[in-house]
Each structure stands twice: as C-alpha cells, then as structure tokens.
Amino acid sequence: MRVLIRLDETGSGYRIRISDNGGGFDEKVLMGEKHGIGLQIANALVREVFGGRVHLRNDGGAVVELELPVTGMGV
C-alpha cells in the first residue's frame, strides 16, 4: 500500500491531504453513519482545537483532507 501526505497553503490557512491506494472508506463512514474512536478524536481536534474541517472521500483509495484556518491555529 502507498500512502501520500500533501500540505498546501490556501488563502486562509492550510490543507493537509492524506491518501492511500487501498480499498477506501466504507459507505457508512462517508455518510456519517459509522465512526471509529480514531475518527471521532481527529474530528474533535480539527474542529474544536484548530477551528477546521475534516473531509472524507474515496478516490482510488481513501482520502482525508483537513482544512486548518490560520486564525484557528493561533498564528
């Protein structure tokens, strides 16, 4: 399996993209019907600590994008 991590600067902060070439997310995860403890912790940290958002999708494997505003990061 291959895992790629990419960091991009946006106009208002940063986007971190983590992707792999595996089987992708289960549809219930993408629909918000099923969450493991790791995903719950990641969502809480990104939203509450950094003021950002988490996006999940499938694109040739699993893709997680974290949007982190500069203002939410105390920079």
Side-chain angles (χ1 to χ4, degrees):
M1 181 179 294
R2 186 182 74 201
V3 176
L4 298 173
I5 301 171
R6 179 178 172 159
L7 172 66
D8 291 310
E9 188 172 1
T10 66
S12 60
Y14 297 94
R15 180 180 303 118
I16 301 171
R17 182 178 194 264
I18 304 155
S19 62
D20 68 29
N21 61 346
F25 289 110
D26 182 280
E27 279 300 313
K28 289 185 179 187
V29 172
L30 293 176
M31 298 299 292
E33 299 172 5
K34 178 181 175 185
H35 296 338
I37 189 70
L39 186 54
Q40 290 176 6
I41 292 169
N43 273 319
L45 280 172
V46 170
R47 274 194 329 263
E48 296 175 25
V49 175
F50 297 109
R53 295 191 292 167
V54 177
H55 303 280
L56 306 176
R57 63 186 169 90
N58 290 327
D59 184 10
V63 178
V64 177
E65 289 185 340
L66 310 175
E67 291 184 19
L68 306 172
V70 172
T71 56
M73 297 173 60
V75 177

